[in-house]
Amino acid sequence: MTKEFWSPVQLSIQVTGLSGILVFILGIILARIMARKKFRGKVLLETVFLLPLVLPPSVVGFLLIVVFGKNGLPGKFIETIFNQPLMFTWWAAVIASSVVAFPLMYQSAKTGFEGIDEEIEHAAMVDGAGQLTLFLFVTLPMTVRSIVTGMILSSARALGEFGATLMFAGNIPGQTQTIPTAIYIAMDSGNMILAWLWVAMIIVISFIMLFVVTYIK
């Protein structure tokens, strides 16, 4: 029972950690661009970025299957390169978690970037700061709370992802079974003790994450 319990926990941590890194990088880059640039179609593009927040998980899973499945161009390309399909692998769980978690990171980081006084950045540039130096030592420190909040909220969302992951990655014990899917299977099979243990685990982790977000505010 020990191995049966810890396997989904370990996989969930791995999936959440990797998806957190992907979401962190993409969220900061795109949020920085969108906070400063004005162009035609910006509102439409931002709507697409935030769409996973309101779409049913089953719809997100369906779209991921269409795009990354055997009939999708990206899916065919990945299968050709790695000689195996992306679906029903733990990488599929990472992608599903990243897609649903991205809007939280993006919106939080964008709010932080929009709150920066541009005159401070201009003053730093006048003093000789390059774009990279400006971003790392001026911009980021001033948005650290928003970025940390986005990281924690998006990680919590990735940890709890169920619907899209179940459709796209499946529920293979030891390979793609995360805590949420494991809880579903445990309940379906009547193993309530194991289900309660996983529920308690994810509640504790989520509580700690949200407590940190509330505390830093």
Side-chain angles (χ1 to χ4, degrees):
M1 182 174 177
T2 302
K3 184 178 179 181
E4 186 180 3
F5 171 76
W6 285 109
S7 179
V9 175
Q10 181 181 356
L11 183 61
S12 290
I13 293 174
Q14 291 175 346
V15 169
T16 301
L18 188 52
S19 65
I21 293 173
L22 294 175
V23 167
F24 173 76
I25 295 173
L26 290 175
I28 286 182
I29 292 174
L30 293 175
R32 175 62 176 176
I33 294 173
M34 299 296 281
R36 288 288 181 262
K37 301 292 184 180
K38 293 183 179 180
F39 55 90
R40 182 177 296 179
K42 178 180 177 180
V43 174
L44 179 62
L45 185 58
E46 279 199 298
T47 303
V48 173
F49 287 165
L50 299 176
L51 202 55
L53 275 178
V54 296
L55 284 178
S58 57
V59 174
V60 176
F62 173 82
L63 293 175
L64 288 174
I65 292 173
V66 171
V67 174
F68 293 103
K70 290 186 176 181
N71 296 324
L73 187 59
K76 291 179 181 178
F77 177 75
I78 292 173
E79 187 170 358
T80 301
I81 296 297
F82 297 100
N83 199 31
Q84 68 173 18
L86 179 63
M87 285 183 61
F88 305 120
T89 65
W90 84 285
W91 283 103
V94 171
I95 292 176
S97 297
S98 299
V99 169
V100 299
F102 171 79
L104 293 172
M105 180 68 215
Y106 168 79
Q107 190 62 34
S108 184
K110 181 171 175 284
T111 299
F113 289 136
E114 288 178 337
I116 296 176
D117 188 347
E118 292 188 38
E119 292 185 2
I120 297 176
E121 292 183 320
H122 292 158
M125 294 178 68
V126 170
D127 290 337
Q131 289 294 330
L132 183 59
T133 301
L134 174 67
F135 183 71
L136 292 177
F137 297 102
V138 178
T139 304
L140 281 183
M142 289 192 295
T143 59
V144 65
R145 285 192 175 184
S146 296
I147 290 175
V148 171
T149 298
M151 286 177 58
I152 295 174
L153 291 178
S154 59
S155 295
R157 180 65 184 87
L159 179 67
E161 165 51 31
F162 171 71
T165 300
L166 183 62
M167 290 187 65
F168 188 45
N171 182 52
I172 306 173
Q175 297 184 40
T176 65
Q177 188 180 68
T178 58
I179 296 177
T181 56
I183 292 172
Y184 174 78
I185 296 300
M187 285 192 61
D188 190 55
S189 62
N191 194 342
M192 295 304 295
I193 294 177
L194 201 53
W196 269 112
L197 288 174
W198 280 320
V199 167
M201 173 68 72
I202 205 166
I203 287 176
V204 169
I205 296 174
S206 300
F207 178 86
I208 293 172
M209 288 180 171
L210 291 177
F211 179 83
V212 172
V213 169
T214 305
Y215 180 80
I216 65 175
K217 288 183 177 181

